[in-house]
Amino acid sequence: MTPATVPAAAYTAAPVWARRAAHAIPLCALPSGLWRIAMASGVYVGYSDQVLRDVYDIPGWGIAYVVGLSVLAELAALLPLLLVSDRWRRLRPGALAAPAWTASGILVLVALGQLVVAFTVESQTYMSSGTAQTVWAFVFAPLFAIPALMTAVTWSYAKRHRARGQAHPLEGA
């Protein structure tokens, strides 16, 4: 039986909570991306003009880097939607599970590293104190929810496709 001939009932839809979590991930990445774009556009975000020139190369190539980083981060944040989408039925059950678990693990490690950087280097070295640091904290704080959300979505995907793979083996397809 090929994946195209498997009855529609054999595909278990993602639970509502998993769909909501997958949709929340891009929303968590959005504030920091907008903050970076504001920084690249010349809006004051707490860095002096000298820090922007010397550390971030803004104006200059730093603008392309910061905007590119924002776009890349948002595109990466959209990838968990693949785990809850019904459009990937043609893939072997659980085909995205291993890369998704790897991404979840990497996200947890990156988030822990970013916590260390945030409390030791970034907020202590370049940024002016007060309101700018508070705004910075508010726009970057949602990023720390992404590893937990990604892990939950990945767990749901793996659980759904493990059960489906046992009920309807498609290994020979």
Side-chain angles (χ1 to χ4, degrees):
M1 185 183 289
T2 66
T5 61
V6 173
Y11 294 103
T12 306
V16 174
W17 67 264
R19 288 182 182 275
R20 287 182 181 156
H23 284 86
I25 292 172
L27 294 176
C28 288
L30 188 61
S32 61
L34 293 175
W35 183 88
R36 284 189 207 101
I37 291 171
M39 182 175 81
S41 300
V43 174
Y44 178 73
V45 293
Y47 295 123
S48 69
D49 289 340
Q50 182 179 357
V51 168
L52 287 175
R53 272 191 313 275
D54 296 345
V55 176
Y56 295 104
D57 196 23
I58 294 175
W61 283 103
I63 293 173
Y65 169 74
V66 169
V67 171
L69 180 63
S70 297
V71 170
L72 185 64
E74 199 60 39
L75 288 174
L78 292 171
L79 291 177
L81 294 173
L82 295 175
L83 300 177
V84 297
S85 174
D86 294 332
R87 296 177 188 224
W88 292 92
R89 291 182 180 173
R90 296 191 187 274
L91 289 177
R92 185 175 56 85
L96 296 175
W101 280 119
T102 303
S104 293
I106 290 170
L107 283 170
V108 169
L109 294 175
V110 168
L112 292 173
Q114 287 299 311
L115 275 173
V116 170
V117 169
F119 288 114
T120 58
V121 178
E122 187 72 27
S123 62
Q124 305 298 323
T125 307
Y126 302 121
M127 188 162 291
S128 63
S129 61
T131 306
Q133 283 183 330
T134 304
V135 170
W136 179 84
F138 275 115
V139 299
F140 280 88
L143 291 178
F144 295 112
I146 292 176
L149 292 169
M150 181 65 182
T151 301
V153 171
T154 302
W155 176 80
S156 171
Y157 176 83
K159 180 180 173 189
R160 237 178 25 255
H161 290 277
R162 188 175 339 120
R164 189 179 81 201
Q166 291 169 355
H168 299 279
L170 296 176
E171 300 300 324

